Amino acid sequence: MKPKVIVYKKLDFTVLDFIREACEVVYFEELNEDTYESFYQELKDAKGILGSRLKVDQEFLEHAPQLKIVSNVSVGYDNFDIPAITSRDVMATNTPGVLNDTVADTIFGLMLAAARRMPELNQYVKEGKWSTTDGENLFGVDVHHKKLGIIGMGGVGMAIAKRAHFGFDMPILYHNRSRNLEAEQTFQATYCSLEELLRESDFVCLMTPLTPETVKLIGEKEFKLMKKSAIFVNGSRGATVDEEALVRALQNQDILAAGLDVFEQEPVQADHPLLSMDNVVTLPHIGSATHETRLKMAQLAAENLVRGVLGEIPPNLINPVVFQR
């Protein structure tokens, strides 16, 4: 008898077929008010679940007594209460690596768009405001040869550093929980304190995971340390930044501009003050959103799920202690 799993995210048919070869699949394209009741009914005897963003904590686990694995279609897993999951001997997995280059492309796009005012000037042209007398009012700032500070030198941070070093001749500062010798050797990146990075960088790129230690890591104090010409880019999670402090920093011209792929509340409210600022480039949390990369992420999540329900060690196990007991 095949183990029963629940997929609660729209997946390509090829990925679903892969899972169905080994498992009985209960499939929900999305979870909403119409599907939650059925989802929790099916959860009672499910061995594994696959999806993203769903909060998996002690309360959730009470509804899933037979669960062996939770598979996130994401590199981030702040929706997982890892201690609670581990205490139940449930495996937790994510999908790192396959999205690094795609997210790095997005982050560089935000840097370039903010520096060269591309969304603002795109609208300027489309509204018929362009004239032959336009001059310095359309100027932006260079990206090449400027100093880039990366907070969080993980896989995506490394991919950003690669683009900065080899493509834009940017000196790189980085702050991380520990030194990354590969970044230092390959990209001549310099390890430094957060304060030094904020003071010295022309571009500040936040790529840290969301943990209790990184909630509102960047706030009023940090923005005041930055250069007035600095451009701030957040590609991590919205909660790593104090958004009210960011609004004030932009309004007070403590920093020049910002590029944001993430917000504290998603979707962001239409009347949020950041959305009315010409010097803020905004995206709807689409860092990894290409067909190619999302398919790779889904396939990796599926491999994690199948391996886990079959009692094997998944490729991307977050809590290996469950196999060490």
Side-chain angles (χ1 to χ4, degrees):
M1 186 175 178
K2 293 180 178 180
K4 176 180 172 180
V5 300
I6 300 174
V7 174
Y8 58 95
K9 180 181 180 67
K10 187 175 181 179
L11 295 182
D12 186 273
F13 74 93
T14 60
V15 180
L16 278 173
D17 286 347
F18 170 81
I19 301 172
R20 285 176 174 139
E21 287 181 8
C23 306
E24 173 195 344
V25 178
V26 178
Y27 181 47
F28 297 90
E29 282 199 0
E30 64 175 341
L31 294 182
N32 53 44
E33 292 182 358
D34 296 328
T35 58
Y36 272 124
E37 185 176 351
S38 298
F39 172 79
Y40 278 99
Q41 279 295 119
E42 299 289 355
L43 194 59
K44 292 177 181 178
D45 59 349
K47 306 296 184 185
I49 61 173
L50 180 150
S52 62
R53 303 197 180 204
L54 183 68
K55 183 69 175 177
V56 179
D57 54 13
Q58 189 64 50
E59 181 181 355
F60 176 89
L61 293 167
E62 294 300 325
H63 296 276
Q66 298 187 37
L67 203 62
K68 291 184 175 181
I69 182 169
V70 290
S71 179
N72 235 23
V73 191
S74 169
V75 64
Y77 50 89
D78 45 279
N79 58 312
F80 286 172
D81 182 338
I82 295 299
I85 293 170
T86 303
S87 72
R88 293 282 298 273
D89 288 330
V90 175
M91 292 171 276
T93 65
N94 64 340
T95 59
V98 294
L99 49 65
N100 291 350
D101 282 323
T102 300
V103 176
D105 287 350
T106 303
I107 298 307
F108 244 90
L110 279 171
M111 289 171 55
L112 289 164
R116 298 304 301 274
R117 301 166 56 192
M118 290 180 181
E120 176 192 356
L121 298 180
N122 169 67
Q123 200 60 32
Y124 181 85
V125 174
K126 289 182 175 179
E127 290 175 356
K129 296 178 179 178
W130 186 21
S131 75
T132 56
T133 59
D134 291 329
E136 291 189 11
N137 61 309
L138 305 186
F139 285 9
V141 298
D142 284 332
V143 176
H144 63 85
H145 294 90
K146 293 293 181 67
K147 189 170 290 186
L148 171 62
I150 301 175
I151 306 169
M153 190 62 85
V156 178
M158 288 285 285
I160 294 168
K162 178 180 179 181
R163 286 153 176 74
H165 177 71
F166 292 114
F168 290 79
D169 295 307
M170 300 177 81
I172 298 167
L173 302 177
Y174 79 99
H175 179 72
N176 206 43
R177 285 176 291 187
S178 58
R179 287 181 64 175
N180 186 323
L181 297 181
E182 183 183 354
E184 295 177 21
Q185 293 164 1
T186 307
F187 311 125
Q188 283 74 62
T190 301
Y191 181 68
C192 64
S193 68
L194 179 60
E195 291 75 14
E196 182 181 352
L197 182 150
L198 296 173
R199 284 195 303 267
E200 298 296 326
S201 299
D202 299 299
F203 292 85
V204 175
C205 181
L206 182 59
M207 298 306 303
T208 184
L210 178 61
T211 66
E213 294 75 28
T214 62
V215 172
K216 296 192 176 181
L217 177 67
I218 305 299
E220 186 167 0
K221 171 189 169 186
E222 288 71 29
F223 287 120
K224 287 188 179 300
L225 284 173
M226 296 182 196
K227 297 179 179 180
K228 289 189 177 295
S229 58
I231 293 176
F232 174 71
V233 176
N234 188 8
S236 58
R237 287 290 190 268
T240 57
V241 175
D242 182 338
E243 281 187 359
E244 292 183 2
L246 173 58
V247 170
R248 289 193 296 272
L250 290 160
Q251 289 173 337
N252 298 335
Q253 299 182 341
D254 292 329
I255 61 173
L256 179 65
L260 308 171
D261 186 37
V262 291
F263 297 85
E264 281 191 86
Q265 180 182 337
E266 295 180 356
V268 65
Q269 293 294 313
D271 61 351
H272 196 296
L274 288 169
L275 305 191
S276 63
M277 297 181 177
D278 288 337
N279 58 339
V280 179
V281 181
T282 58
L283 295 176
H285 202 154
I286 50 83
S288 64
T290 67
H291 290 293
E292 301 95 327
T293 293
R294 289 291 173 88
L295 181 59
K296 291 176 184 176
M297 292 169 66
Q299 184 62 43
L300 183 53
E303 292 170 11
N304 285 328
L305 178 73
V306 170
R307 292 276 290 274
V309 295
L310 294 180
E312 302 172 10
I313 300 177
N316 302 104
L317 184 60
I318 298 165
N319 55 345
V321 68
V322 296
F323 268 96
Q324 298 166 1
R325 292 175 174 173

